[in-house]
Amino acid sequence: MSEPLVLGIETSCDETGIGIVRGRTLLSNTIASSMDEHARYGGVIPEVAARAHLEALQPSIEAALAEAHVQLEDLDAIAVTSGPGLAGALMVGVGAAKGLAVSLGKPLYAVNHLVGHIAADIVTPDSDPLEYPTIALLVSGGHTSLLHVQGLTTDVELLGETMDDAAGEAFDKVARLLSLPYPGGPEIDRAAVDGDPNAIRFPRGLSRASDLEKHRYDFSFSGLKTAVARWVERCEASGEEVPVADVAASFREAVVDVLVTKALAACADLGVPRLLLGGGVIANRRLRDVAIARAEAAGVIVRIPPLSLCTDNGAMIAALAAELISSGRRPSTLAFGADSTLPVTEIQIAESQAEDAA
């Protein structure tokens, strides 16, 4: 099946994503976000997210089918995120996907959320095919991961990941320290426009020589968050007005510096002149600009999918499943569930054996 028609379901966090692809052609990318419901709490509440998925799934599926001009019966397969993510949120998507697959008699592919972010690149309109190997830097509210991708459907290696807060979490927490609304990423970005990124030298986590011996590709943003908190506390204790723009710009610069430095180090160490950026935090303009400028100086080509495909979405899940199908991989059995800590090396979950597929 060279160009399978696949519907993908993504419910790993606070966005209900339904995507439809035909091979590597994107037909629909429908996203229903519950972000506004979480804003009052200053962060994602798992129970709220799961209920929002329940309410959004059916209308989102109907909207995606209408946009793609296809019927459920036309589909060749169903795909779903099995993990990693919030367990309750994942369970909603997994249950819906199994129900659809069984009722329609269609094969089901349970796939990895993080690898899906890489697959988003292959359905980017008018882009050249993704070359392998490539280094992938995935930065979101829940994940900060550096990957060595030698084959999208066969070989994804975890080089490093966050040891504590993900970059997106750090943005949210620092925004709260500065009395900025949730979500913190866009608010920090806006505040930083008028700030000096060199005004305050905040620490770069796991970047000292002693750290690099064991954690060359790992990330840590908890210490940076604490450093910002202490700086703001000292400023307030002395009766000074907190220079929000300078703090935001300096904090953002520290995060961006660490992310780009470690990603380009991986490119250099492994001799890979390609870097793929993915995840919702890639919407940060400073991160994109610095990555592109420093990569160009290092002779590394940077690929960034459209921002609508960087945030969590069902299209990337459908795209990954379509690649699995085209490469001859068998469907998943129903013997899988939501796995909140699914390792990135497990690209597809519960692949059926040859006799089962027959």
Side-chain angles (χ1 to χ4, degrees):
M1 191 184 302
S2 58
E3 290 194 321
L5 181 65
V6 184
L7 181 145
I9 299 175
E10 154 60 32
T11 63
S12 66
C13 192
D14 62 337
E15 286 154 326
T16 306
I18 307 296
I20 300 176
V21 304
R22 188 183 298 278
R24 297 183 175 180
T25 302
L26 177 62
L27 301 182
S28 174
N29 182 28
T30 300
I31 300 174
S33 175
S34 59
M35 185 179 297
D36 290 344
E37 297 178 49
H38 302 285
R40 72 185 72 174
Y41 306 106
V44 176
I45 306 300
E47 293 82 0
V48 173
R51 181 166 294 278
H53 288 312
L54 280 170
E55 296 173 352
L57 261 173
Q58 182 171 339
S60 296
I61 291 173
E62 291 173 353
L65 292 168
E67 182 182 357
H69 302 292
V70 298
Q71 304 293 321
L72 284 173
E73 294 75 16
D74 300 328
L75 298 172
D76 294 311
I78 306 294
V80 66
T81 297
S82 178
L86 301 175
L90 289 166
M91 288 173 64
V92 176
V94 167
K98 288 182 177 181
L100 271 178
V102 170
S103 64
L104 295 170
K106 304 291 184 180
L108 175 62
Y109 287 78
V111 302
N112 192 296
H113 170 82
L114 295 180
V115 184
H117 275 297
I118 304 168
D121 181 86
I122 66 177
V123 289
T124 296
D126 304 319
S127 66
D128 296 327
L130 180 62
E131 294 183 49
Y132 304 105
T134 189
I135 300 298
L137 174 65
L138 307 181
V139 192
S140 68
H143 306 282
T144 302
S145 306
L146 194 57
L147 312 176
H148 184 206
V149 186
Q150 300 199 65
L152 180 64
T153 62
T154 58
D155 190 350
V156 178
E157 176 190 1
L158 177 67
L159 297 176
E161 59 187 342
T162 182
M163 308 294 289
D164 39 60
D165 291 342
E169 290 177 287
F171 272 96
D172 291 336
K173 291 176 179 178
V174 168
R176 196 176 307 140
L177 290 170
L178 298 176
S179 299
L180 297 174
Y182 174 86
E187 297 298 331
I188 292 283
D189 235 10
R190 278 190 280 271
V193 169
D194 298 320
D196 178 2
N198 300 308
I200 309 162
R201 177 68 185 183
F202 286 127
R204 273 64 170 161
L206 297 182
S207 294
R208 295 177 300 183
S210 57
D211 295 322
L212 293 175
E213 291 180 11
K214 292 185 178 180
H215 299 289
R216 183 167 180 78
Y217 305 127
D218 291 320
F219 304 92
S220 173
F221 298 107
S222 181
L224 170 60
K225 172 205 66 182
T226 301
V228 175
R230 297 293 174 265
W231 199 96
V232 171
E233 288 171 3
R234 287 195 298 269
C235 190
E236 292 175 337
S238 64
E240 300 176 24
E241 183 179 350
V242 177
V244 173
D246 285 346
V247 174
S250 299
F251 161 75
R252 183 181 67 175
E253 199 69 9
V255 174
V256 168
D257 187 17
V258 169
L259 291 172
V260 175
T261 296
K262 287 181 177 271
L264 291 179
C267 289
D269 294 346
L270 298 173
V272 178
R274 289 171 289 277
L275 175 62
L276 172 67
L277 304 182
V281 177
I282 300 303
N284 187 289
R285 181 173 296 278
R286 181 63 179 166
L287 175 55
R288 298 199 308 274
D289 290 346
V290 170
I292 291 170
R294 289 178 56 181
E296 183 178 0
V300 173
I301 298 171
V302 175
R303 296 177 68 107
I304 307 175
L307 297 185
S308 61
L309 291 174
C310 285
T311 56
D312 293 346
N313 64 86
M316 68 186 194
I317 302 305
L320 176 54
E323 290 295 296
L324 289 166
I325 294 168
S326 296
S327 66
R329 296 283 287 270
R330 293 180 293 273
S332 299
T333 69
L334 295 180
F336 72 92
D339 187 344
S340 61
T341 60
L342 183 69
V344 72
T345 50
E346 294 190 33
I347 300 168
Q348 181 189 352
I349 298 86
E351 182 181 3
S352 55
Q353 301 301 309
E355 57 270 21
D356 296 334

